[in-house]
Amino acid sequence: MINNVKILKSEVLSDNWYTLKKITYQYSLNDGTVQTHDREAYDRGNGAVILLYNQEQQTVILTRQFRLPTYINGNSSGLLIEACAGLLDKDNAEDCIKRETEEETGYKVTEVRKIFEAYMSPGSVTEILYFFIAAYSKAMKVHEGGGLEHEQENIEVLELSIDQAMKMINNGEIKDGKTIMLLQYIKLHQIL
């Protein structure tokens, strides 16, 4: 497909936490009709996410932490169970996820496997998320995890059986899209 988009105007609406822009663009339809649209796009950078799994124990490592947007949208506690994740900042995805894994979960992983990448909310957020999996063992635990104090993280580390995690998707305890995708990947590919 040829490039059928022309950016006419880009206006920064907010640059407080990350960048929210209003973009005016022209888009050519297949029949040649040109439409003009105004859309907002939130740029928070790209990220990485990982699911740690233990084949012998049939377990996974997840985290639980407060997420304000979920609280605003009906999650009464604001707590969300998730796979370990973080923004790339200036790192490549693999280095980022190794660092985040140690900070958040306390496990030091040296080998990770990228399984795919995906846009998670392409209608409004520019982020590409890089998905990883990695085996873990008790010997890899170097500290309790919980995140970094200077980043104001307060993360609870959870070790769950894969069966329990899958039940938590079905009963609504796990509602995070990236986490559901990773758990389903592990089951679909018979890793656990």
Side-chain angles (χ1 to χ4, degrees):
M1 175 184 243
I2 60 170
N3 187 353
N4 59 352
V5 178
K6 180 179 179 185
I7 304 291
L8 302 176
K9 182 179 177 185
S10 178
E11 174 187 358
V12 175
L13 300 178
S14 175
D15 197 13
N16 185 24
W17 189 251
Y18 298 109
T19 305
L20 177 63
K21 291 181 181 178
K22 179 180 178 183
I23 309 289
T24 303
Y25 65 96
Q26 287 182 331
Y27 182 77
S28 300
L29 302 179
N30 291 338
D31 68 3
T33 304
V34 177
Q35 295 180 339
T36 301
H37 298 271
D38 288 314
R39 298 289 185 272
E40 293 178 4
Y42 191 56
D43 184 356
R44 55 182 300 251
N46 294 326
V49 60
I50 192 166
L51 183 63
L52 299 179
Y53 65 90
N54 183 301
Q55 284 183 320
E56 183 180 319
Q57 295 178 179
Q58 294 287 294
T59 54
V60 294
I61 298 292
L62 298 175
T63 65
R64 181 173 17 228
Q65 62 184 307
F66 180 78
R67 296 297 196 183
L68 177 64
T70 73
Y71 180 78
I72 292 169
N73 197 23
N75 178 359
S76 62
S77 71
L79 295 174
L80 199 64
I81 296 173
E82 308 174 57
C84 171
L87 293 176
L88 300 188
D89 298 321
K90 296 188 190 247
D91 284 339
N92 66 49
E94 187 173 314
D95 290 341
C96 165
I97 205 57
K98 288 177 181 177
R99 181 190 72 243
E100 287 292 332
T101 299
E102 187 172 339
E103 289 173 7
E104 291 189 7
T105 71
Y107 287 90
K108 185 173 184 72
V109 294
T110 55
E111 294 192 28
V112 299
R113 186 172 106 204
K114 180 182 167 195
I115 54 174
F116 54 80
E117 54 192 69
Y119 290 100
M120 295 303 293
S121 189
S124 59
V125 181
T126 62
E127 178 185 35
I128 292 175
L129 196 57
Y130 298 89
F131 287 74
F132 292 89
I133 59 173
Y136 79 94
S137 68
K138 296 290 184 200
M140 300 166 108
K141 185 119 176 141
V142 294
H143 62 81
E144 292 306 307
L148 299 176
E149 191 173 320
H150 75 273
E151 291 182 6
Q152 297 180 316
E153 293 178 318
N154 182 26
I155 298 168
E156 179 185 357
V157 181
L158 307 172
E159 184 174 38
L160 305 170
S161 74
I162 187 63
D163 291 338
Q164 182 182 5
M166 297 308 288
K167 285 178 187 166
M168 293 170 80
I169 293 171
N170 291 334
N171 70 22
E173 289 179 78
I174 294 178
K175 292 184 179 181
D176 176 63
K178 64 188 179 298
T179 304
I180 293 168
M181 291 167 71
L182 282 166
L183 290 167
Q184 289 178 339
Y185 181 92
I186 290 283
K187 287 300 279 182
L188 182 66
H189 292 87
Q190 300 176 352
I191 295 170
L192 289 183

